[in-house]
Amino acid sequence: MTHPTGRLSDVVHQRHRLGILAIADEAARVEFTYLHDVLELTRGNLNRHLAVLEEAGLIVLEKGYDGRRPKTWIVITGEGRAALSAELTALEELIRRHGRERGPAPPPVHPSSPLG
């Protein structure tokens, strides 16, 4: 059986990419500026994270206009939803493993102790 950390995706697990996928999963589509503001990323950093997710097939970028203003919307794909779900499942398993009652902490080891 693989440890839950072995099921974490290097593409998805990065905190900003996880945030992008989580936000995109909550809406039909999310606008670039909203992600820029809520995730507090520079436009360049956000573009780089979006490129990684798009290359992995987890999102699709839709370019268009809102009136005369150019806009970019981010839409999570079915594969993106599955990747997000797998990531959350692995994190939930990790939480279950470490959230159980552990009893009192062992006493600290004194530096002069043979264990210290």
Side-chain angles (χ1 to χ4, degrees):
M1 180 173 172
T2 304
H3 189 271
T5 57
R7 294 190 306 272
L8 295 174
S9 164
D10 290 337
V11 171
V12 176
H13 193 70
Q14 198 285 339
R15 73 182 175 112
H16 295 301
R17 292 193 290 265
L18 183 59
I20 291 165
L21 290 174
I23 292 166
D25 189 49
E26 295 169 1
R29 64 182 187 169
V30 62
E31 207 269 319
F32 180 94
T33 303
Y34 178 80
L35 288 175
H36 169 266
D37 293 344
V38 76
L39 295 175
E40 299 179 341
L41 290 167
T42 65
R43 290 184 180 278
N45 278 340
L46 179 53
N47 273 319
R48 183 64 194 126
H49 289 301
L50 292 174
V52 169
L53 292 170
E54 186 178 36
E55 289 168 14
L58 305 183
I59 62 165
V60 174
L61 300 180
E62 295 180 351
K63 302 220 180 233
Y65 289 88
D66 183 12
R68 293 183 155 196
R69 303 180 82 197
K71 297 280 184 176
T72 300
W73 291 275
I74 294 84
V75 178
I76 192 169
T77 64
E79 189 175 338
R81 287 187 200 290
L84 177 61
S85 179
E87 192 75 10
L88 294 175
T89 298
L91 289 170
E92 287 168 347
E93 175 61 23
L94 196 59
I95 290 166
R96 271 194 298 278
R97 284 180 173 218
H98 291 274
R100 62 182 177 264
E101 293 291 325
R102 294 176 175 227
V109 177
H110 191 275
S112 64
S113 152
L115 299 176

